[in-house]
Amino acid sequence: MDGTNYSLKDLTLYFLKLGTWGFGGPVALVGYMHRDLVEKKKWISEEEYKEGLALAQLAPGPLAAQLGIYIGFVHYGLLGATLAGLAFVLPSFIMVVLLGMAYKLYSGLSWMQAIFYGVSASVIGIISISAYKLTVKSISKFTLPAMRANWLLWILYLIGVVITVITQREEVLLFILTGVIYMIIKVPPQWARRNPVLPSFLLAGMVFWESGNNELVKIGLFFLKAGAFVFGSGLAIVPFLHAGVVQEYGWLTESEFVDSVAVAMITPGPVVITVGFIGYLVSGFPGALVAALATFLPCFLFTVILAPSFKRIAQNNSVRAFVEGITASVIGALVGSVIIIASRSIVDVCTALIALASISSLLFIKKLQEPYVILVAAVVGMVIKGF
């Protein structure tokens, strides 16, 4: 295409490589994109990158995947967005399906159970650290002046924590409601000034609660709902997945769910790809494919629909306030889910010590990445269990 110094093939190959070797979570992945595509290759400008990052933070969808889709869209439109997104997600999808096959074959064996004994406890620690970082980043620091300045976000955050712990499920309509409340109080849009009645779009979330009789249809609708309410970090999907696959549908046991999160941590690419592993455990390869496509579809659609007019949308303070309100309760739900999962996964002194050691390692050892922590935890698990 005119005005570009790279081909669509170049871009697709880049995201295929990033999806294959890109460890470190969403923050690291978006950092790699800036380093490679803006600074080194100069395929996109600093302004284009910042616009894509802002869109990824404003709209629902896993941060890194959405930025990749936007970068594909910049110069190559719908086809570029499609190929960039597929190339980025495909390597980790293949990996989690292969791991799902191995997990189904060997999960009954004692050595596999020993590995995940350590890994599952470590994942609790890793998610706890991530929840803390997301809280500081999206709500405020744990200082009295900062908390006083963001008191309303803290209230919405605590509501998310408490309701998740009490109900042990995700409440989609609660998230939408907290977004509307924060928007009306902080930056009321024109419709709210004219008529302070909640708009009918609150009912839009209701469609996500309907499900068909066919299991693949249930899987598709459930993961579509989950993908539509993931803001910023892939780990924000954890409360949705836990409530649905463990509590509501009973597709996985508590330990299987924690193992699924662990698989996402040890594979490259977006953390959200754990949905492929879960889908495989529930309904084989068709389940993995449907779960992954359904989860990433909202992210893709939001990007290609909003990208052409994003500058105007990004300047709307009411939209920003709405997203901030949703994000506060979603992160609160993540914290609530960590509490629920930890209460069932930390089963003895050893698992408690592994979780605490994982937290300490990530806090005090700079540049330590999660896959290394999980690898050590797997070895520790095997040692404790006598392998």
Side-chain angles (χ1 to χ4, degrees), residues 90-345:
L90 186 60
S92 54
F93 174 76
I94 294 172
M95 291 179 202
V96 297
V97 169
L98 292 175
L99 287 169
M101 294 169 65
Y103 188 84
K104 271 196 167 183
L105 285 172
Y106 302 116
S107 61
L109 299 181
S110 54
W111 63 268
M112 177 69 86
Q113 293 172 353
I115 288 174
F116 278 99
Y117 172 83
V119 167
S120 299
S122 178
V123 165
I124 299 300
I126 292 171
I127 299 177
S128 300
I129 289 292
S130 297
Y132 168 77
K133 289 180 179 178
L134 283 171
T135 299
V136 171
K137 178 183 176 183
S138 301
I139 313 300
S140 79
K141 294 181 179 179
F142 287 88
T143 63
L144 193 58
M147 295 177 74
R148 186 183 293 124
N150 296 279
W151 65 271
L152 183 53
L153 284 178
W154 277 104
I155 289 175
L156 300 179
Y157 169 85
L158 292 174
I159 288 173
V161 175
V162 172
I163 290 183
T164 301
V165 171
I166 292 174
T167 64
Q168 299 194 4
R169 60 177 295 168
E170 87 286 356
E171 299 292 346
V172 174
L173 295 183
L174 168 69
F175 300 144
I176 299 175
L177 183 61
T178 55
V180 172
I181 290 172
Y182 190 73
M183 175 180 65
I184 290 175
I185 294 175
K186 299 296 288 188
V187 192
Q190 291 184 355
W191 60 261
R193 297 189 189 103
R194 291 194 304 266
N195 183 8
V197 177
L198 294 184
S200 59
F201 72 77
L202 275 179
L203 300 177
M206 293 298 291
V207 300
F208 292 114
W209 296 97
E210 302 298 326
S211 61
N213 294 322
N214 185 281
E215 189 163 77
L216 285 179
V217 173
K218 289 181 179 180
I219 291 171
L221 290 175
F222 170 73
F223 284 101
L224 188 68
K225 175 182 70 172
F229 288 91
V230 181
F231 283 83
S233 168
L235 283 174
I237 203 173
V238 167
F240 295 97
L241 298 184
H242 180 262
V245 304
V246 178
Q247 302 291 337
E248 185 176 353
Y249 293 107
W251 285 330
L252 301 184
T253 65
E254 197 75 45
S255 62
E256 287 172 337
F257 177 77
V258 178
D259 294 345
S260 301
V261 178
V263 165
M265 297 288 185
I266 62 175
T267 51
V271 176
V272 174
I273 202 59
T274 186
V275 300
F277 184 85
I278 293 172
Y280 185 85
L281 295 188
V282 175
S283 197
F285 183 76
L289 190 61
V290 169
L293 288 174
T295 301
F296 285 96
L297 181 61
C299 160
F300 176 81
L301 291 178
F302 271 106
T303 302
V304 299
I305 291 171
L306 295 178
S309 56
F310 177 66
K311 285 186 179 180
R312 177 176 54 82
I313 296 171
Q315 293 171 353
N316 189 313
N317 291 327
S318 296
V319 172
R320 287 183 174 275
F322 176 70
V323 172
E324 286 178 11
I326 289 182
T327 302
S329 57
V330 166
I331 295 173
L334 173 60
V335 174
S337 292
V338 172
I339 294 171
I340 295 170
I341 298 169
S343 67
R344 295 167 182 167
S345 299

Side-chain angles (χ1 to χ4, degrees), residues 17-31:
K17 292 176 183 176
L18 183 64
T20 304
W21 306 111
F23 286 95
V27 175
L29 289 169
V30 299

